[in-house]
Amino acid sequence: MAAESTPGSGISEERGSSGLRHRGKGRRRKPRGKRRKGLVVMAWTAAGIVVLGGTGAGFLYFKLNGNIKSVNIDQALGTDRPEKADNGSENILVLGSDTRSGKNKKLGGGIDDGSARSDTAMIVHVYEGHKKASVVSIPRDTLIDRPECTDTKGDTFPAANGVMFNSAYSTGGAACAVKTVESITDLRMDHYLEVDFAGFQRLIDELGGVRVTTTKNINDPDSHLDLKAGTHQLDGEQALGLVRTRHGVGDGSDLGRIQLQQAFIKALVNQVKNVGIFTNPKKLYDLADTATKTVTTDSDLGSVNSLMSFAGGLKSISSANMHMVTMPVQYDPADPNRVLVQKAKAQLVWDALKNDKPIPRAATEGTATGEANGVVK
């Protein structure tokens, strides 16, 4: 998978235009201030398991299967949801969570309070035929109307108006995050994938790092990242610092961080094709073992067999046919640290995905994006 974000190499900014203040409701590809992970984990996990299965290493199935954590989203949400598409297209909600416990304590700033937040959210739309996809990043700082939701334990949480998007996950977990996204988009989320700090870092290290070129110096003490302009082979800690840096480049906004993430994903996917994991059984197993320990899925994907089938449907999506954008937003006039959905432009995005069409350029023209254009290639 790879990314084409807004113009530039995955990173750009155009200050917001006016808009209604909406608090809106052999050789295969591998297809989650203190945060961020990558969408591509979903692809690594699934593709790694597929190839392992193809090697005949069936005895590894049970160990890998036991690694996978899953949540029953469908049971929690019930039947009052958007309809499933009937043409074979799918929508997958991919979240990066910053659980502040265990190995994530240090990565989350040393606070072990057991809390969790969704600091990266991406809707992956896989088109009919499964040969191309669009990815829509949802800024965590977007003010929205959060619907009443029930978590997977059966606890119900009241609706709330004008709250940050990532409050959905911290309030009611995965089920509430899915319901909130469905209420904003009127799109059915067919699957759910989540990855945390520590897992993202380990996955990058398992891959041998990721090669990126920065066009400017990046120095952000909060994310422990200090890079001079130039080409770098980032290890897991540095990669995590890059995708969660907020104050090191651009205007210090969450939108700029999203642009960095999208550029990093592009660099990662372009490299993964050449790391040789599929000709190295031990490397492949180590990657699959780490990946299956790292992700949480919806219950429909909560087994190796399901992930194998899922990956089989994604393996034809290449870096050249994945389009990445950010949900159309504008800066909140009342608080520049928050953004508001540009309702009319966002509707162009949701309508395109609902009709399995490409996202039109007009949907993202003149929207706020964060002033990080071209920083990472």
Side-chain angles (χ1 to χ4, degrees):
M1 296 199 237
E4 168 194 327
S5 65
T6 48
S9 60
I11 298 180
S12 67
E13 139 75 21
E14 295 172 68
R15 275 271 167 179
S17 63
S18 61
L20 292 178
R21 181 183 181 107
H22 176 59
R23 304 195 164 183
K25 321 199 254 185
R27 304 160 165 62
R28 302 271 128 86
R29 293 213 195 284
K30 22 251 98 43
R32 190 168 2 131
K34 321 266 185 194
R35 29 219 155 230
R36 292 305 158 183
K37 7 276 146 218
L39 143 79
V40 202
V41 170
M42 169 262 294
W44 301 336
T45 303
I49 291 170
V50 163
V51 178
L52 266 176
T55 67
F59 70 95
L60 298 176
Y61 167 91
F62 296 101
K63 183 178 189 307
L64 296 177
N65 202 60
N67 288 345
I68 301 170
K69 301 181 292 292
S70 64
V71 291
N72 194 333
I73 301 293
D74 289 342
Q75 183 178 49
L77 296 186
T79 58
D80 185 17
R81 303 177 63 187
E83 293 184 2
K84 284 180 175 287
D86 60 3
N87 61 358
S89 65
E90 291 184 305
N91 296 306
I92 303 123
L93 178 62
V94 180
L95 290 187
S97 66
D98 66 342
T99 303
R100 303 302 178 92
S101 61
K103 294 180 180 179
N104 289 302
K105 175 182 176 181
K106 180 179 179 181
L107 301 176
I111 302 172
D112 188 355
D113 59 6
S115 64
R117 301 164 182 81
S118 63
D119 283 322
T120 299
M122 297 178 177
I123 299 169
V124 181
H125 178 81
V126 181
Y127 289 90
E128 179 181 8
H130 290 208
K131 295 185 182 300
K132 60 181 180 177
S134 286
V135 180
V136 183
S137 296
I138 302 178
R140 64 183 289 274
D141 294 339
T142 308
L143 296 178
I144 52 95
D145 291 342
R146 191 183 69 231
E148 179 183 282
C149 55
T150 301
D151 66 15
T152 54
K153 298 178 181 177
D155 296 328
T156 299
F157 302 90
N161 296 327
V163 296
M164 284 172 57
F165 169 77
N166 71 340
S167 72
Y169 181 87
S170 57
T171 298
C176 193
V178 170
K179 183 163 186 177
T180 299
V181 170
E182 291 185 344
S183 74
I184 292 171
T185 65
D186 196 31
L187 296 170
R188 174 75 168 237
M189 295 297 110
D190 299 288
H191 293 298
Y192 170 84
L193 288 145
E194 176 187 332
V195 68
D196 65 23
F197 275 169
F200 175 82
Q201 182 169 314
R202 290 196 306 272
L203 281 164
I204 297 299
D205 284 334
E206 290 283 2
L207 284 167
V210 176
R211 186 180 181 87
V212 300
T213 297
T214 58
T215 59
K216 298 179 180 178
N217 296 340
I218 301 177
N219 189 344
D220 184 357
D222 287 346
S223 64
H224 311 292
L225 185 67
D226 186 3
L227 296 176
K228 300 298 183 184
T231 299
H232 310 272
Q233 186 77 12
L234 303 184
D235 62 19
E237 183 177 6
Q238 292 172 313
L240 181 62
L242 179 66
V243 297
R244 67 187 177 100
T245 189
R246 182 165 184 156
H247 305 293
V249 294
D251 60 5
S253 71
D254 184 52
L255 299 175
R257 178 163 49 187
I258 286 173
Q259 298 302 315
L260 289 175
Q261 291 167 11
Q262 292 177 346
F264 176 80
I265 289 170
K266 182 176 182 179
L268 172 62
V269 174
N270 287 339
Q271 177 179 319
V272 163
K273 295 181 296 185
N274 302 315
V275 296
I277 62 171
F278 300 121
T279 59
N280 184 332
K282 182 181 185 304
K283 190 175 185 69
L284 178 58
Y285 171 74
D286 289 344
L287 178 63
D289 187 41
T290 298
T292 50
K293 289 175 181 174
T294 294
V295 297
T296 299
T297 73
D298 65 277
S299 54
D300 284 348
L301 294 181
S303 72
V304 171
N305 281 342
S306 296
L307 281 173
M308 286 171 62
S309 176
F310 179 63
L314 297 178
K315 66 179 183 292
S316 296
I317 300 175
S318 70
S319 62
N321 52 25
M322 176 164 276
H323 178 216
M324 297 190 76
V325 301
T326 299
M327 181 177 72
V329 294
Q330 67 182 65
Y331 291 98
D332 182 358
D335 184 352
N337 294 315
R338 301 289 178 264
V339 294
L340 308 170
V341 180
Q342 285 202 7
K343 186 176 180 180
K345 287 181 175 290
Q347 195 60 50
L348 294 176
V349 175
W350 314 139
D351 287 346
L353 300 188
K354 181 174 290 189
N355 293 299
D356 207 35
K357 302 294 184 184
I359 296 171
R361 184 179 296 274
T364 53
E365 288 177 340
T367 59
T369 52
E371 296 181 357
N373 185 34
V375 174
V376 173
K377 296 182 178 179

